Amino acid sequence: MARHLFNVHSPITYFMALEVIRIEKIPVEAVTLLISRNFLPPDGTYQAIPLPFSHYPIDSFAVQIAFWKSWNKVRAFDQWLEKITQQQPFTLYAAHAYSSIFHLMVTHPMCQGYYYIEEGLVAYRPPADWDIQKPFNPLRSVLYYLNFGQRNRPNRSFFTTQLGRYLGAFGVSQHSFPTLPNLQAVGLPFPKIESGEKYQCVIVHDNIYDHHGLTPSTYLRWIEVIVNDALKRGFTSIHQKFHPAQEQASLQAIEAFMQQKVAGKASLHTLGASDSIEQISLSQHPVIYVCISSVGLYAHLAGSEVVSIYKICCQDQPVFKSFGHLLPSFYLENVTYLQYPSQN
């Protein structure tokens, strides 16, 4: 029986996978979920296998001067792939084409083709920003060829249709994957949840803390603006969720800061990696605080008010201005933007 492999690392990729399985009527026994970023499926309906390779923060298939060492890595990858597919042909469902893992999968002779499934804001990236072209370097091109042959290439596109056999894309809306052929819009895939816990607001920590040259004090100053707004609104219970790629040191610093800011004013609760803010938004419509997280997009579509510190980020760190064109206008136009309090 042909296999169907789904890259799953978040609630959106998990529920998109379930929706695709339903639409395509894929048998349970033909499905394998390739799990990463500490995501845990809520039940054991489908076979779930931890993905033992990574793209970020460490690329399992980084190009090497000692190129022959990559041959063993690729051989081990192919053996693993043939084991989990039981040497049967397979179709891949992935969020984008940017990783070495994607390249190695879709160029494997048993791969019958691939679909893209929506995972977040990258699905709304303008086509002009799909290709990540590095300056031409003949040595790098030669090294990639010596390391991987035609299996893994130096220049990347988020949504190529030129590698392997492209079959189509599954998105939340008609705005997803602009210009990609064979797009199927499935709507919000999240089911509602029944929970005894009440959610007034959720603060979503993007892992921008660890990027873009931010100092800890800058990010914590932004978070303070969010906390002050939540308390001003009268929220007595604050939930927060960290990015799955958040470094442990920064996570602990943010956690300590949050505890200090809300002490005696509100209770603080931290959601796990598998907790779905999108489902919470659909079910209870709490206020969702973000910077530029895709969670805000789906929370907005689910009916929650989305409050963003994006304009503050742009004010303090101009590099954030370059992200604006990557966000869909129907989302940007419906966000409440926080500002620093005026100095009188």
Side-chain angles (χ1 to χ4, degrees):
M1 176 184 291
R3 308 295 302 176
H4 295 262
L5 308 183
F6 291 84
N7 281 344
V8 171
H9 60 260
S10 61
I12 175 66
T13 50
Y14 174 72
F15 288 113
M16 283 296 293
L18 297 191
E19 194 66 7
V20 172
I21 292 166
R22 183 189 67 80
I23 292 170
E24 297 295 302
K25 298 180 172 61
I26 302 172
V28 171
E29 60 272 18
V31 172
T32 298
L33 308 180
L34 303 179
I35 305 297
S36 58
R37 291 188 176 182
N38 299 316
F39 180 81
L40 295 175
D43 61 54
T45 302
Y46 300 102
Q47 180 187 41
I49 297 175
L51 185 64
F53 310 96
S54 67
H55 170 66
Y56 177 85
I58 298 174
D59 187 351
S60 296
F61 301 98
V63 68
Q64 301 179 86
I65 296 294
F67 58 85
W68 56 91
K69 294 182 179 180
S70 291
W71 301 349
N72 288 333
K73 289 184 178 181
V74 173
R75 188 176 300 113
F77 178 87
D78 287 345
Q79 290 172 348
W80 168 81
L81 191 55
E82 290 158 15
K83 179 180 179 181
I84 68 168
T85 58
Q86 301 172 347
Q87 297 188 326
Q88 298 299 308
F90 68 89
T91 300
L92 177 66
Y93 303 79
H96 56 74
Y98 194 67
S99 72
S100 299
I101 298 168
F102 176 91
H103 281 229
L104 293 174
M105 282 190 167
V106 301
T107 57
H108 191 282
M110 292 193 309
C111 182
Q112 295 183 314
Y114 59 93
Y115 291 90
Y116 295 115
I117 60 172
E118 184 164 336
E119 70 143 351
L121 292 174
V122 69
Y124 299 88
R125 199 178 183 98
D129 291 288
W130 284 357
D131 295 337
I132 308 298
Q133 295 290 340
K134 299 178 181 178
F136 178 70
N137 183 327
L139 176 59
R140 181 169 58 237
S141 299
V142 170
L143 273 176
Y144 261 88
Y145 183 78
L146 291 173
N147 276 255
F148 306 109
Q150 295 296 322
R151 297 284 302 278
N152 190 15
R153 302 178 185 178
N155 288 324
R156 302 291 172 86
S157 171
F158 280 100
F159 301 114
T160 182
T161 60
Q162 304 302 314
L163 191 67
R165 185 182 174 211
Y166 168 76
L167 298 174
F170 293 91
V172 167
S173 75
Q174 292 295 338
H175 298 284
S176 310
F177 304 111
T179 76
L180 273 186
N182 195 23
L183 168 67
Q184 296 188 57
V186 304
L188 279 178
F190 309 100
K192 288 186 177 182
I193 54 172
E194 297 295 333
S195 174
E197 187 162 3
K198 299 303 179 185
Y199 299 88
Q200 297 177 345
C201 71
V202 181
I203 298 174
V204 182
H205 296 289
D206 295 338
N207 68 336
I208 56 173
Y209 184 102
D210 300 312
H211 299 281
H212 311 301
L214 290 186
T215 62
S217 60
T218 298
Y219 182 74
L220 297 180
R221 185 167 68 247
W222 296 345
I223 294 302
E224 184 174 18
V225 174
I226 289 178
V227 173
N228 288 342
D229 185 79
L231 295 175
K232 184 178 178 181
R233 290 172 180 245
F235 296 143
T236 56
S237 175
I238 296 175
H239 288 75
Q240 63 178 349
K241 185 174 182 181
F242 291 96
H243 191 282
Q246 196 95 45
E247 293 181 4
Q248 192 63 28
S250 62
L251 186 153
Q252 291 174 349
I254 297 168
E255 179 77 32
F257 180 81
M258 290 289 296
Q259 292 285 1
Q260 175 191 352
K261 295 304 296 184
V262 305
K265 303 170 185 174
S267 58
L268 182 66
H269 314 271
T270 299
L271 299 174
S274 301
D275 290 322
S276 170
I277 297 175
E278 298 89 344
Q279 283 185 281
I280 293 170
S281 296
L282 195 63
S283 305
Q284 297 191 25
H285 306 302
V287 173
I288 305 297
Y289 290 96
V290 300
C291 175
I292 53 174
S293 171
S294 60
V295 170
L297 170 65
Y298 302 120
H300 161 66
L301 293 175
S304 280
E305 178 188 358
V306 178
V307 181
S308 174
I309 54 170
Y310 176 65
K311 290 188 177 180
I312 291 177
C313 297
C314 293
Q315 178 180 332
D316 288 352
Q317 298 283 332
V319 67
F320 280 87
K321 294 179 181 178
S322 63
F323 299 151
H325 76 288
L326 302 178
L327 308 175
S329 59
F330 73 86
Y331 168 51
L332 289 177
E333 294 165 0
N334 289 281
V335 172
T336 301
Y337 294 100
L338 294 179
Q339 302 281 7
Y340 285 126
S342 58
Q343 301 295 325
N344 295 322

